[in-house]
Amino acid sequence: MNRLAGKVAMITGAGRGIGAAIALAFAREGAAVALAELDLDTANATAERIASEVSGARAMAVKTDVTQSASVVEALKQTEATFGPLDVLVNNAGINVFCDPLTMTDEDWKRCFSVDLDGVWNGCCAVLPGMVGRGRGSIVNIASTHAFKIIPGCFPYPVAKHGVIGLTRALGIEYSPNNVRVNAIAPGYIEMQLTLDWWDSQADPKAARQATLDLQPMKRIGQPQEVAMTAVFLASDEALFINASCITVDGGRSALYHD
Ligand SMILES: NC(=O)c1ccc[n+]([C@@H]2O[C@H](COP(=O)([O-])OP(=O)(O)OC[C@H]3O[C@@H](n4cnc5c(N)ncnc54)[C@H](O)[C@@H]3O)[C@@H](O)[C@H]2O)c1
């Protein structure tokens, strides 16, 4: 407990899924959290849930579109006006754009990159001047195992996620003299509502679920909280010598040679 006591964090895409789990875990560890989210309804609901579950929690929802740099700058301004200088940014907002490369439209390419890579850059750009000026800060970028493994038909999501790792390494090195750490997390298959809905939509939901689990070394998929606790670690002072790095959270799936 209190591994993030006194810290101020902004988490993008925190209305649901992995981002919501990160916001909750950060609040439990004592951080003040801003949920920077496109969908203000889910962000408000998650902030209310945090307030009801964590005694003394400081949580606020901020309408943010990570594809727009001015929107991220404004979210940071509101966060710092409420909680004080930012210590931690989690660039979590992301979308799946899965296409065949040659039939993909320009619009699909731009939609993917605007959120999955530009969105991460916009977040970094907004917070780095303050972090560098204060001589401290931690940025955690949510990448994916698609950042180093390719599944046919998932283009261009893995291209953007490879870029997230490149951005993490480049910025981690650039700002290490300023005591600003930039790291990534590469989640594997993590349970989300879409996963549960997809299994339920199949003719035999139980068999569909089992087929997915059978592909996993641990015979299960991950939970959002398991990514969240890795983000807590990277954001905390327990990880002060971890920089320009990526932690994979996939139960070993990406190390498996044969399915
Ligand atoms: N779920 C998985 O299996 C998995 C695996 C690997 C990586 N990831 C990555 O984890 C991150 C979170 O994924 P998730 O599964 O929780 O997804 P999700 O779809 O449940 O949540 C994503 C959140 O981001 C928000 N968002 C989307 N566009 C936005 C924008 N322009 N500005 C601000 N917010 C925006 C959405 O409203 C949503 O609340 C993503 O970066 C994703 O690529 C997920």
Side-chain angles (χ1 to χ4, degrees):
M1 294 297 282
N2 287 327
R3 293 161 73 195
L4 301 177
K7 293 195 191 291
V8 174
M10 182 164 83
I11 301 128
T12 68
R16 68 179 198 190
I18 291 171
I22 292 172
L24 179 61
F26 274 35
R28 284 199 173 120
E29 294 296 340
V33 289
L35 289 68
E37 166 63 64
L38 191 60
D39 181 344
L40 195 55
D41 290 343
T42 61
N44 275 324
T46 302
E48 279 164 26
R49 187 183 146 213
I50 291 170
S52 71
E53 287 186 20
V54 182
S55 153
R58 291 181 300 156
M60 65 184 277
V62 196
K63 169 96 177 163
T64 312
D65 181 352
V66 298
T67 68
Q68 306 299 315
S69 55
S71 173
V72 185
V73 168
E74 178 57 29
L76 175 67
K77 206 169 134 191
Q78 289 183 36
T79 302
E80 295 195 323
T82 309
F83 294 140
L86 195 84
D87 300 288
V88 182
L89 169 69
V90 182
N91 283 307
N92 165 78
I95 55 170
N96 288 348
V97 181
F98 292 167
C99 303
D100 163 74
L102 294 184
T103 55
M104 179 189 71
T105 63
D106 285 352
E107 179 47 41
D108 287 329
W109 173 271
K110 284 179 190 148
R111 193 164 54 89
C112 179
F113 274 80
S114 68
V115 182
D116 291 341
L117 187 55
D118 295 354
V120 178
W121 171 233
N122 288 338
C124 294
C125 254
V127 306
L128 275 168
M131 288 183 174
V132 167
R134 290 186 290 277
R136 65 185 160 83
S138 171
I139 297 175
V140 180
N141 297 325
I142 306 301
S144 166
T145 46
H146 288 253
F148 40 81
K149 291 282 178 179
I150 301 298
I151 302 174
C154 293
F155 194 85
Y157 177 80
V159 187
K161 291 295 189 182
H162 274 67
V164 170
I165 299 293
L167 186 63
T168 301
R169 291 163 60 89
L171 295 179
I173 295 305
E174 289 284 351
Y175 298 106
S176 49
N178 308 95
N179 198 29
V180 176
R181 299 179 296 111
V182 187
N183 290 295
I185 297 173
Y189 204 148
I190 305 298
E191 186 176 298
M192 53 196 294
Q193 195 54 48
L194 276 180
T195 321
L196 304 175
D197 294 345
W198 185 81
W199 284 332
D200 285 344
S201 72
Q202 301 304 297
D204 184 345
K206 207 174 157 198
R209 184 188 177 92
Q210 198 54 51
T212 304
L213 305 191
D214 283 346
L215 293 174
Q216 304 295 320
M218 299 183 79
K219 303 303 170 202
R220 70 174 181 90
I221 61 173
Q223 292 298 316
Q225 302 89 285
E226 293 173 307
V227 180
M229 293 319 292
T230 310
V232 165
F233 169 63
L234 285 175
S236 78
D237 292 350
E238 298 159 21
L240 288 179
F241 202 51
I242 301 182
N243 181 37
S245 195
C246 177
I247 299 181
T248 300
V249 182
D250 73 343
R253 178 69 180 85
S254 59
L256 182 68
Y257 185 70
H258 290 289
D259 286 349

